[in-house]
Amino acid sequence: MSRRGWKGRSGRLSVGMAAAGATRAAYAELRRRPPVEARMWQRSNYAGRGVELYGGLAAAAGAATALGTARGLTVRSRIAAVGAALAAGACGAYDDQAGSPDERGFGAHLKALREGRFTSGAVKLLGIGAAGLAAGTLLKVRPFDQLLAGVVIAGTAHAVNLVDISPGRAAKAVIAVSVPGLLRRGPAGVLAAAPVGAAAAVLGDDLSERTMLGDGGAHALGAALGAAIVVANGRTGLLLHAAALIAMTAAGDRISSHERLWNAPGVRHVDSWGRVAHPYG
């Protein structure tokens, strides 16, 4: 391996390790000193078992910290990635606190807007969309490419949150989708390493049902991953990614809970790996 290739690989590894270390440190601190009140961060998961949301907050903080201190990024790409991750995480955390279980999904929030009601999901929708467009403006030069970049960043944030309905699923999705980016040299590989490290750091606790990403963590990791995808692709790649993400958004809950999709050969094995088995549901 050439010296340049080794430096690139070690750079991506150091960013991933920094993200993982910062995430674990933030997770430990949040559990020791919960922000505001501990009860605000307690939830019941898909099986009705009590979990907390500190893993998501920690993953958002860890990814942003690693991106903010990583070498090999321009000022514009650093600001874009950190800003998108923090803004998406903040909007998601707000929805975690203020959201209503009766109004979930893209369609429900659009319907509320048409009726003149501004839900927490609408705040998330508009806030993450604006953050994605702002990041896209920093990452691309031509207006059409900037628009596509914004769609990809916001769409990836939404897509990760869309699959976050079972322990470890969203974190695994972030890691799996980031693998091609990790193989790239330059800024794209560095950007991809941060969400991978943060997701890997909380995966065990997520699978063990001690914590969950929640909207805050899923959106933050998705936005960081979206920034890496944008940097790695030209217009054709952005068009393909944007089309796929729009299709996922349109499918909505069918993607989240479609039994045939998640029980497909290979998918079921990866999806269930490491998850705690509950014999009585």
Side-chain angles (χ1 to χ4, degrees), residues 31-130:
R31 296 191 73 186
R32 187 178 342 30
R33 298 179 182 177
V36 192
E37 296 181 36
R39 64 179 179 81
M40 293 176 60
W41 309 101
Q42 305 299 317
R43 292 293 184 276
S44 294
N45 67 2
Y46 75 110
R49 295 175 178 83
V51 296
E52 30 87 337
L53 295 171
Y54 303 138
L57 299 178
T65 299
L67 289 168
T69 57
R71 295 183 178 180
L73 298 178
T74 65
V75 173
R76 292 173 69 91
S77 61
R78 191 186 309 278
I79 293 173
V82 173
L86 290 180
C91 290
Y94 173 73
D95 194 40
D96 280 331
Q97 296 301 323
S100 168
D102 297 326
E103 289 185 315
R104 292 288 181 182
F106 190 78
H109 299 310
L110 287 180
K111 180 181 178 182
L113 283 174
R114 287 195 298 268
E115 295 173 351
R117 293 184 294 109
F118 205 65
T119 64
S120 61
V123 172
K124 183 174 67 174
L125 181 67
L126 296 176
I128 295 175

Side-chain angles (χ1 to χ4, degrees), residues 26 48 92 124 159 161 213 265:
K124 183 174 67 174
N161 187 57
L213 290 179

